[in-house]
């Protein structure tokens, strides 16, 4: 059987950053090339062909040389003008993303990008509208949906394991070093509001799609945030003032009356099974998921504790949970979504995670910031391209 290889040029803008290099270039696009492309029904293959784009020639040149990428450029306009490149991908910092995406849409490119898609909801909705008007295919990275632990949670929910879901508790975060005696694990712009930083802007886009894809539509939010670490040292060891929130404590109300408590912090030390844990309690059973693992407790296996602080606790509670088996092979979450988007562009298979879905994440971040500022509950209205 003759196999047709469909090469598809991809402009990858901003991949010299940590996430862009590791997850999108190395573990997604280059991994897809190494495996021989993305197989299509009938035996044909999509082969992604990247060009690395950015502002610093030395970084691009070094990255391309280290990973055998043939092409790189500091001239975004020239790349956008080349019809060989059908897809524009953006993993720049948030403040630069929207303008570059607009340029790419105007050039007729299909759009795939990191989130947040813009610094505010108006900008995010504008991107979704102009992409729809231009008729270009578009998608937003929503990687956590493809993590093994959350896929297992979805399997449980789809099977009816929980019964009626009552509540969800999310704990996310870790201690990010201040940069004095140990270098920080995150870039300094994350802690400057003027550069698009802040844990609400960064993480609540994730929480929106996780909650709505697993449990239900977000109807309202109450949020309190803080800048617990007011001063840090940047990558050059220069002290700077932190102007963005590094911790956020939110309550979400979902459709069906599900209550979600979500703590997010870069100033917390970890005493749990993973950097992200999601606990779901339902009338029939409960589950706790991390990035890869998930454990359950059904109502028939639930112990009967009685409050009595005068005696030693008779239960080893953590021993009473049962691991959910893998029952499948799990690939890198970013790579899985890249493969789905490539198929969407080439053969039109469904891809529901578009720029409008991305705008929902920005909307939730905006409303959570407003809730913090005004110290009150905020309703979350439905988004539409007609607004």
């Amino acid at each position: 059987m003759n196999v047709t290889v469909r090469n598809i040029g991809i402009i990858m803008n901003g991949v010299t950053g940590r996430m862009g290099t590791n997850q999108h270039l190395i573990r997604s696009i280059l991994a897809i090339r190494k495996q021989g492309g993305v197989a299509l029904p009938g035996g044909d293959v999509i082969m992604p062909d990247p060009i690395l784009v950015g502002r610093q020639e030395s970084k691009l040149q070094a990255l391309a040389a280290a990973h055998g990428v043939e092409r790189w450029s500091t001239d975004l306009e020239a790349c956008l003008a080349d019809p060989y490149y059908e897809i524009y991908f953006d993993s720049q910092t948030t403040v630069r993303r929207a303008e570059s995406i607009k340029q790419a849409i105007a050039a007729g490119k299909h759009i795939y990008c990191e989130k947040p898609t813009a610094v505010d909801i108006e900008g995010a909705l504008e991107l979704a509208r102009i992409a729809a008007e231009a008729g270009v295919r578009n998608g937003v990275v929503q990687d956590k949906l493809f993590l093994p632990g959350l896929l297992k949670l979805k399997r449980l929910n789809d099977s009816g394991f929980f019964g009626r879901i009552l509540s969800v508790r999310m704990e996310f975060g870790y201690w990010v070093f201040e940069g004095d005696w140990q270098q920080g694990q995150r870039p300094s712009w994350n802690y400057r509001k003027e550069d698009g930083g802040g844990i609400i802007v960064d993480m609540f886009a994730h929480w929106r799609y996780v909650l709505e894809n697993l449990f239900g539509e977000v109807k309202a939010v109450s949020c309190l945030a803080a800048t617990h670490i007011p001063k840090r040292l940047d990558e050059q060891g220069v002290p700077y003032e932190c102007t963005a929130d590094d911790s956020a404590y939110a309550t979400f109300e979902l459709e069906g009356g599900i209550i979600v408590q979500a703590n997010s912090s870069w100033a917390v030390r970890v005493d749990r099974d993973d950097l992200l844990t999601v606990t779901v309690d339902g009338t029939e059973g409960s589950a706790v998921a991390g990035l890869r693992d998930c454990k359950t407790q059904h109502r028939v296996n639930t112990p009967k504790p009685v409050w009595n602080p005068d005696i030693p606790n008779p239960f080893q509670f953590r021993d009473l949970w049962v691991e959910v088996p893998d029952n499948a092979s799990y690939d890198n979450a970013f790579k899985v979504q890249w493969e789905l988007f490539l198929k969407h562009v080439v053969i039109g298979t469904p891809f529901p995670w578009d720029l409008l879905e991305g705008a929902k994440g920005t909307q939730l971040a905006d409303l959570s910031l407003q809730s913090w500022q005004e110290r009150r509950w905020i309703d979350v209205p439905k988004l539409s391209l007609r607004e």
Side-chain angles (χ1 to χ4, degrees):
M1 182 180 68
N2 292 326
V3 174
T4 300
V5 176
R6 167 74 153 81
N7 290 308
I8 186 163
I10 304 175
I11 299 167
M12 302 191 74
N13 192 4
V15 290
T16 55
R18 175 180 56 90
M19 184 70 72
T21 293
N22 294 327
Q23 296 291 9
H24 291 290
L25 179 61
I26 298 173
R27 297 172 189 163
S28 294
I29 296 302
L30 297 183
I32 291 170
R33 289 178 62 82
K34 186 176 181 180
Q35 76 182 13
V38 179
L40 296 176
D44 291 341
V45 169
I46 304 170
M47 184 62 71
D49 188 10
I51 182 169
L52 311 184
V53 177
R55 293 171 295 136
Q56 297 187 40
E57 181 176 318
S58 59
K59 285 188 176 181
L60 290 167
Q61 191 172 23
L63 183 61
H67 299 286
V69 179
E70 294 181 3
R71 294 181 298 278
W72 57 270
S73 176
T74 57
D75 191 341
L76 176 59
E77 289 188 9
C79 294
L80 291 174
D82 189 336
Y84 177 73
Y85 299 107
E86 300 177 53
I87 295 174
Y88 172 78
F89 170 71
D90 194 298
S91 60
Q92 299 181 96
T93 58
T94 305
V95 293
R96 294 189 175 90
R97 183 164 299 135
E99 192 57 41
S100 296
I101 291 175
K102 288 179 188 177
Q103 290 180 256
I105 293 172
K109 308 301 182 186
H110 303 299
I111 306 299
Y112 190 50
C113 66
E114 270 289 356
K115 76 241 138 270
T117 56
V119 296
D120 54 36
I121 184 57
E122 290 78 17
L125 270 179
E126 181 186 14
L127 292 180
R129 288 194 191 102
I130 63 176
E133 291 167 0
V136 299
R137 299 189 188 277
N138 56 92
V140 176
V141 177
Q142 301 199 338
D143 55 285
K144 289 175 177 52
L145 296 178
F146 306 96
L147 290 169
L150 297 194
L151 287 171
K152 293 171 186 177
L153 265 188
K154 180 169 174 52
R155 188 199 313 168
L156 291 168
N157 197 14
D158 291 346
S159 74
F161 171 83
F162 296 111
R164 180 170 61 88
I165 294 178
L166 309 175
S167 65
V168 179
R169 293 181 302 285
M170 303 172 65
E171 291 285 345
F172 166 79
Y174 48 95
W175 192 274
V176 176
F177 289 103
E178 296 91 327
D180 46 6
W181 68 280
Q182 202 158 188
Q183 187 176 3
Q185 310 96 297
R186 298 184 64 85
S188 57
W189 69 263
N190 284 160
Y191 302 94
R192 292 190 292 265
K193 183 178 180 180
E194 59 273 22
D195 292 334
I199 203 164
I200 292 176
V201 170
D202 189 60
M203 294 309 303
F204 279 38
H206 290 287
W207 304 158
R208 180 74 182 264
Y209 70 73
V210 166
L211 294 173
E212 296 206 344
N213 280 270
L214 266 63
F215 308 116
E217 185 178 344
V218 179
K219 308 296 289 186
V221 59
S222 172
C223 183
L224 176 67
T227 306
H228 288 313
I229 309 296
K231 292 184 179 180
R232 294 178 179 268
L233 274 65
D234 67 15
E235 292 77 1
Q236 288 72 45
V238 177
Y240 67 95
E241 299 287 334
C242 300
T243 55
D245 45 293
D246 59 24
S247 301
Y249 311 92
T251 304
F252 305 113
E253 181 185 7
L254 308 189
E255 60 182 329
I258 299 171
I259 304 301
V260 179
Q261 294 173 294
N263 294 330
S264 312
S265 180
W266 291 318
V268 61
R269 295 180 176 89
V270 179
D271 182 19
R272 52 186 185 272
D273 291 337
D274 217 328
L275 299 185
L276 168 66
T277 57
V278 182
T279 302
V280 184
D281 286 311
T283 54
E284 299 298 313
S286 299
V288 182
L291 302 181
R292 302 197 63 83
D293 299 322
C294 182
K295 56 189 179 182
T296 62
Q297 187 172 96
H298 194 264
R299 65 182 300 183
V300 300
N301 303 114
T302 303
K304 189 179 181 181
V306 177
W307 174 257
N308 188 348
D310 298 324
I311 64 171
N313 173 40
F315 296 103
Q316 296 295 320
F317 288 109
R318 290 194 168 188
D319 294 341
L320 302 177
W321 293 72
V322 178
E323 288 287 339
V324 177
D326 286 347
N327 288 356
S329 297
Y330 298 103
D331 207 343
N332 177 277
F334 291 85
K335 177 172 174 280
V336 170
Q337 198 178 9
W338 260 110
E339 291 177 339
L340 292 173
F341 185 71
L342 290 171
K343 290 180 181 179
H344 176 60
V345 169
V346 174
I347 61 173
T349 50
F351 193 89
W353 311 285
D354 58 13
L355 282 166
L356 181 59
E357 287 298 303
K360 290 181 180 180
T362 302
Q363 179 197 39
L364 185 61
D366 279 5
L367 295 178
S368 298
L369 289 166
Q370 180 185 351
S371 172
W372 173 27
Q373 182 180 18
E374 298 178 4
R375 301 180 71 84
R376 68 180 180 92
W377 277 91
I378 302 286
D379 290 334
V380 180
K382 287 183 178 293
L383 280 186
S384 168
L385 293 179
R386 294 187 297 273
E387 293 180 13

